[in-house]
Amino acid sequence: MKKKIILIDGSFYLYRAYYALPNLINSEGYPTGAIYGFINMFNKIIKINPNSYFLIIFDKGVSFRKKIFNKYKSTRKNMPNNLNIQINPLLKIIKAMGYSAISINNIEADDIIGTLALQAEKKDYFVYIFSLDKDIAQLVTQKIKIVNPINYSISGPKEIYYKYRVFPEFISDLLALTGDSIDNIPGVPGIGNIIGKNLINKLGNLKYIYNNLDIVNNINFRGGNNIKKKLIKYKKSVFLYHKLTKIKTNINLNLNDLNLINKPKKNCLKSLFKTYKLNKWLKNINKS
């Protein structure tokens, strides 16, 4: 049987659950929509992935990216208080279910996922990352794949190339050139997806492009000389953007130190479900 490890972008699921059930409140007036929705979605993942190991990863604190580029993700709203107060109860429930929820102060979930994915691959795991973040595409290999959290479609190297028209190892270079509006990364003005993809496919990564700028004039681009000028003008910015889009895979975290197999603590779960009036899950425990 293949060794299979599931890495879940917990921050994505947290927000998805909250906005799916934003007004769900228990009888004591405590908001429980994110907790309820998260558990519901997580149980579905568990059901369709039997004989797998699971790790749930969350963002925590201010990323180093914000420190080197103040506008990074600046268009995103602060976490609603009704969501924030549900995080600690949710983490307790996940732990009581027998699973590990991982977060490191001032480290983004993507960097933890990247670090764990590569370590797992080296240990001969097949890795499936549940995330919608396009940055994650750069991690894809024959053994590391992305699962779309909405329709559960699986993307390997071929699917990533079909979607972005560059191979996974060039995703961060592409985003540095063309920008990423979700993370508020501007990219190079005037270099959109078509030009960015052509530059990468014909020349290679950013370093190679900048070492061969004269070739840009010879590529069949409309306004090739103008593109070269823009690349020169925004060189410093592009390499800054590349630092923002490149997932770190060397976080101080060891897969060997994590508990992949934990027994659920039923009494603890019952207590938590009673406290937050999650009667559906409480009934399920009593039936088991």
Side-chain angles (χ1 to χ4, degrees):
M1 185 177 292
K2 295 179 180 179
K3 293 195 299 181
K4 185 176 175 182
I5 188 166
I6 309 292
L7 302 178
I8 297 173
D9 183 348
S11 296
F12 166 81
Y13 276 95
L14 186 67
Y15 275 92
R16 179 169 164 76
Y18 175 74
Y19 285 106
L21 299 163
N23 297 316
L24 190 60
I25 298 173
N26 67 18
S27 60
E28 294 182 358
Y30 194 95
T32 57
I35 298 171
Y36 181 89
F38 191 104
I39 296 170
N40 199 39
M41 290 185 285
F42 182 41
N43 278 336
K44 186 174 182 180
I45 295 173
I46 295 170
K47 186 176 181 180
I48 63 177
N49 291 280
N51 303 314
S52 300
Y53 301 114
F54 298 88
L55 292 171
I56 307 169
I57 299 96
F58 292 90
D59 293 317
K60 185 178 181 182
V62 180
S63 166
F64 78 92
R65 295 175 176 86
K66 183 71 173 177
K67 295 177 181 178
I68 64 174
F69 185 62
N70 189 50
K71 294 181 180 179
Y72 179 70
K73 293 187 177 181
S74 62
T75 55
R76 298 193 184 187
K77 297 179 180 179
N78 291 331
M79 180 179 287
N81 184 57
N82 275 3
L83 173 56
N84 190 44
I85 62 176
Q86 295 182 67
I87 294 177
N88 283 336
L90 175 61
L91 296 179
K92 290 178 183 178
I93 290 171
I94 291 170
K95 185 176 180 180
M97 290 173 69
Y99 299 100
S100 294
I102 304 163
S103 61
I104 301 175
N105 198 37
N106 297 331
I107 302 294
E108 289 189 68
D110 285 359
D111 298 315
I112 299 175
I113 289 171
T115 298
L116 294 177
L118 265 62
Q119 289 182 19
E121 182 184 37
K122 289 178 181 178
K123 293 180 180 297
D124 207 29
Y125 283 101
F126 285 84
V127 183
Y128 292 84
I129 303 170
F130 280 67
S131 176
L132 266 188
D133 194 331
K134 67 175 69 173
D135 292 350
I136 292 291
Q138 66 193 265
L139 300 173
V140 170
T141 66
Q142 292 299 329
K143 282 194 170 184
I144 301 174
K145 299 183 179 181
I146 298 174
V147 182
N148 185 305
I150 297 173
N151 60 22
Y152 296 103
S153 61
I154 298 174
S155 295
K158 289 182 180 179
E159 289 79 12
I160 294 301
Y161 183 81
Y162 181 80
K163 183 175 182 178
Y164 297 104
R165 295 302 177 185
V166 297
F167 288 107
E169 60 265 33
F170 298 119
I171 291 292
S172 59
D173 301 280
L174 178 65
L175 293 175
L177 286 170
T178 63
D180 183 354
S181 59
I182 294 176
D183 289 342
N184 202 36
I185 299 172
V188 179
I191 294 186
N193 280 326
I194 293 176
I195 294 175
K197 292 169 188 176
N198 282 334
L199 281 170
I200 289 170
N201 285 324
K202 292 181 183 295
L203 296 178
N205 62 25
L206 283 179
K207 185 176 180 180
Y208 194 87
I209 290 171
Y210 274 94
N211 285 338
N212 296 274
L213 283 175
D214 289 339
I215 301 178
V216 173
N217 290 341
N218 300 325
I219 299 175
N220 188 23
F221 284 139
R222 181 180 296 177
N225 190 52
N226 191 38
I227 292 170
K228 177 183 174 181
K229 289 179 180 178
K230 288 180 178 179
L231 288 171
I232 293 171
K233 180 179 179 180
Y234 291 96
K235 180 178 180 179
K236 184 177 180 180
S237 295
V238 168
F239 281 96
L240 170 61
Y241 302 154
H242 189 251
K243 287 183 180 179
L244 302 177
T245 59
K246 187 71 173 177
I247 291 177
K248 295 177 74 67
T249 57
N250 59 349
I251 299 301
N252 186 22
L253 183 66
N254 196 324
L255 185 62
N256 290 332
D257 297 331
L258 302 177
N259 294 321
L260 295 179
I261 303 175
N262 294 304
K263 291 183 179 179
K265 301 174 182 178
K266 288 190 176 182
N267 289 334
C268 183
L269 267 179
K270 284 182 180 181
S271 177
L272 287 165
F273 289 156
K274 284 180 181 178
T275 298
Y276 296 101
K277 304 296 187 292
L278 296 168
N279 295 326
K280 174 183 176 180
W281 310 116
L282 185 59
K283 289 178 182 178
N284 288 345
I285 291 180
N286 291 330
K287 289 178 182 178
S288 61

